[in-house]
Amino acid sequence: MVAQKAKVTIFDVAKASGVSSSAVSYALNGKPGVSDATREKVLQEARKLGWRPNGAAQSLAQSRTRRIGLVLGYDPQLLSVEPYIMRLISGLGSALEERDYSLLIRMSMDDDDDVSILEDWIATGNVDALLLLNLEIGDPRIDLMKANPQMPCLAIADASLTGGLPTLTSDDAGASGTMIRFLASLGHRNIARVAGPEELGHSYIRDAAFSEITTELGIRYRCLHADYTPESGADATKRLLSVTPRPTAIIYDNDVMALAGESVASMKNVSVPDELSIISWDDSFMNVAAHPAITALGRNVLESGRLAAQLMLKLIDGEEVEDVQEPPYELVERDSTGPPPRSKFAAHSQR
Amino acid sequence: MVAQKAKVTIFDVAKASGVSSSAVSYALNGKPGVSDATREKVLQEARKLGWRPNGAAQSLAQSRTRRIGLVLGYDPQLLSVEPYIMRLISGLGSALEERDYSLLIRMSMDDDDDVSILEDWIATGNVDALLLLNLEIGDPRIDLMKANPQMPCLAIADASLTGGLPTLTSDDAGASGTMIRFLASLGHRNIARVAGPEELGHSYIRDAAFSEITTELGIRYRCLHADYTPESGADATKRLLSVTPRPTAIIYDNDVMALAGESVASMKNVSVPDELSIISWDDSFMNVAAHPAITALGRNVLESGRLAAQLMLKLIDGEEVEDVQEPPYELVERDSTGPPPRSKFAAHSQR
DNA sequence: TTGTAAGCGTTATCAA
DNA sequence: TTGATAACGCTTACAA
């Protein structure tokens, strides 16, 4: 009842209950091997003494830590620009909580660091499973995990990037199609995209999908790579708005760049959505707060996090895990999208 | 060199080096008690075998986990709206990394949960120190920590809320003064504030400071409490814009609400900054991306995180820690602030 | 300088 | 159903 100052161990509980430490262990863990009477007695004494299992001892004995490891790339800019990570952590955390697991986080300063932290965790047994994010093409982490198949590991990425590791796949290609077709259905035939950094795995997937689908639909498409910051988004937008014929719609790979793009349009007196449609990849409060509110491709990141946690727990339990698809993207139509300016003539009206 | 499948222990290293396990331990930990020759030999064999200390065993033997605990309130909305937490985590993580510490995170679903997670960590010894955020007035966590003085604990909050616990104080009162005086110097005599939830400790501090300072300066001040979401920010803005005489400047307690407020102004054809000045408390990419770009009160949250980490490490080392001040807020002037509309007449022009 | 052995607090095996 | 007792892998006091 009362929290004890001195640590109370199972031996204290054993003495108080008048039984051995092993009986106590069985009783406290709900395992067979003790009579109901002593079990009752032990539980009572344990509660009375305020006993709680020592984490390190438990980990040592069971080689199980009840922790899941996540290495975050140290890029304060990216980390704070992207609501994604925090939402993912929320989802992970809430699902882990249900199983009394916690999330162990370390920060890597560069890619080598990233790998060595993972190596450390694998070797020291400090976590029960690993979650891999932001895989790049030919990512060294994949080889590392293949060399250590005993460590459960889940990747969140397009399956083409994960080399056969258990994967929670994001449908970036499908989402690309959704957006292009949405714009096409509004009448747009000349669209542009302000993408994220080229070396990121999902940028690569998106790049490929966009090229393919726009070609297929006979839509003019132009892509500029930026770095997710408002400055880079504004910059790319300025360049795109000076191209002739000017694209009638721009898709931004994140919300900050979309907002920055909308600001540029406003400054240049390019009316949104009358003269220019804007879509943001990944939805957030920013899109709602903007004026006009920005149409966005949203996904339930929280649910992704929960799903990822559940899959890792399965892996830890030794179950087979098939690749699972993230909750699908959904287009949230707001006020920043509309038909292109009088289709045919738009291309001529500016020179 | 090559990663081993089977776990290699100090006994393996001992056998390979032809010495005892304790000699190995001394050698590997750089402690005196072994000759340079054997130390050399042991280090060499350890590397050859790919030995790494087992985390659980080390924790058990030293009662030291090299982990710091952080409980996050599960409010996906707040967590993702606020770049603050992610930036703080980045700062914490980077400083902890330098000392090979990691961050253990759990998610609490409500206040009771919060306390019981902390209790659990204290009792099971799963972390070496705790970081407390978002303290409320009369927060139960303070009593908990006072009842367990053996657990190092740092609070990030105004010192008036932390009941004597080691504290990294944020100067919310001072910051309030900075903003009010800035607006006053521009000529504003009628300002409003869209605040965060009333029950939050720092809202309370800000509320008090604002009332006091505006009274002192003879400035008309009105405050509406919202909940950090764009909807609530937009709502509050609408109400404030319909008050007579209309405030000539609005301060928002976070950036999302500031952006939403700016959108409302734009919709109502209230020109920013000509007719209305806007300031955001806490700076982020949103403010830069907005149009007009939003003047904001920024602070180096990353540095706060690093500072907090260093203080906790000191506490863990048993050093005394005096209360420390967070890096100061700084006003970043952008395009959303300016003098009020022809002072005297502004109040009359609307009825 | 070195090795032996006793913790650290559990879990789990094996006789009794 | 019980209670010794041996892991788990490391640190460290104490002997040699």
Side-chain angles (χ1 to χ4, degrees), chain B residues 84 155-161 167-181 201-207 209-210 213 281-282 297-300 304 307 324-330:
Chain B
Y84 174 81
I156 301 189
D158 188 278
S160 67
L161 296 168
T167 301
L168 180 59
T169 63
S170 39
D171 187 17
D172 283 85
S176 303
T178 303
M179 287 196 288
I180 299 170
R181 272 184 283 274
H202 65 259
S203 294
Y204 177 81
I205 302 288
R206 295 175 184 183
D207 288 352
F210 260 86
I213 301 169
W281 200 314
D282 270 351
L297 192 67
R299 54 177 162 167
N300 194 336
S304 283
L307 215 51
V324 174
Q325 187 83 25
E326 271 191 332
Y329 279 101
E330 250 173 78

Side-chain angles (χ1 to χ4, degrees), chain A residues 5 52-53 55 67 74 79 81 86 97 102-103 105-106 120 123-124 147 230 263 266-267 285-286 289-291 302, chain B residues 5 52-53 55 67 74 79 81 86 97 102-103 105-106 120 124 147 230 263 266-267 285-286 289-291 302:
Chain A
K5 296 276 98 148
R52 307 270 4 235
R67 288 189 291 270
Y74 179 74
L79 283 176
V81 152
M86 201 59 232
E97 205 53 40
S102 40
L103 198 60
I105 290 188
R106 288 185 60 179
D120 182 81
T124 59
S263 293
S266 156
M267 276 184 322
F285 287 90
M286 241 175 282
H291 179 69
L302 209 66
Chain B
K5 298 273 99 152
R52 307 272 2 237
R67 288 188 292 271
Y74 180 73
L79 284 176
V81 151
M86 201 59 232
E97 204 54 40
S102 40
L103 198 59
I105 290 188
R106 288 186 60 179
D120 182 81
T124 59
S263 294
S266 155
M267 276 185 320
F285 287 91
M286 243 174 279
H291 179 70
L302 208 66

Side-chain angles (χ1 to χ4, degrees), chain B residues 123-262:
Chain B
T124 59
N126 261 319
V127 295
D128 292 347
L130 294 170
L131 181 61
L132 262 36
L133 302 179
N134 291 329
L135 287 178
E136 299 177 9
I137 305 163
D139 202 297
R141 291 174 286 173
I142 294 194
D143 295 328
L144 176 65
M145 297 319 301
K146 294 210 145 176
N148 295 87
Q150 77 286 2
M151 172 62 78
C153 174
L154 181 77
I156 301 189
D158 188 278
S160 67
L161 296 168
T162 61
L165 289 179
T167 301
L168 180 59
T169 63
S170 39
D171 187 17
D172 283 85
S176 303
T178 303
M179 287 196 288
I180 299 170
R181 272 184 283 274
F182 169 69
L183 289 174
S185 76
L186 287 173
H188 293 270
R189 315 296 301 164
N190 177 9
I191 68 179
R193 175 164 156 259
V194 177
E198 205 157 2
E199 61 274 18
L200 257 51
H202 65 259
S203 294
Y204 177 81
I205 302 288
R206 295 175 184 183
D207 288 352
F210 260 86
S211 296
E212 191 183 314
I213 301 169
T214 49
T215 304
E216 202 179 292
L217 297 181
I219 288 179
R220 186 188 289 250
Y221 165 66
R222 204 186 146 87
C223 174
L224 255 42
H225 284 273
D227 65 3
Y228 289 140
T229 61
E231 292 84 0
S232 72
D235 230 59
T237 307
K238 279 176 202 154
R239 287 170 56 196
L240 288 172
L241 290 184
S242 64
V243 166
T244 310
R246 188 165 87 191
T248 58
I250 305 181
I251 292 161
Y252 294 84
D253 266 21
N254 79 345
D255 35 27
V256 182
M257 295 197 295
L259 182 60
E262 189 171 86

Side-chain angles (χ1 to χ4, degrees), chain A residues 10-11 25-26 31 51:
Chain A
I10 50 170
F11 287 93
S25 177
Y26 289 134
K31 297 203 172 170
W51 173 88

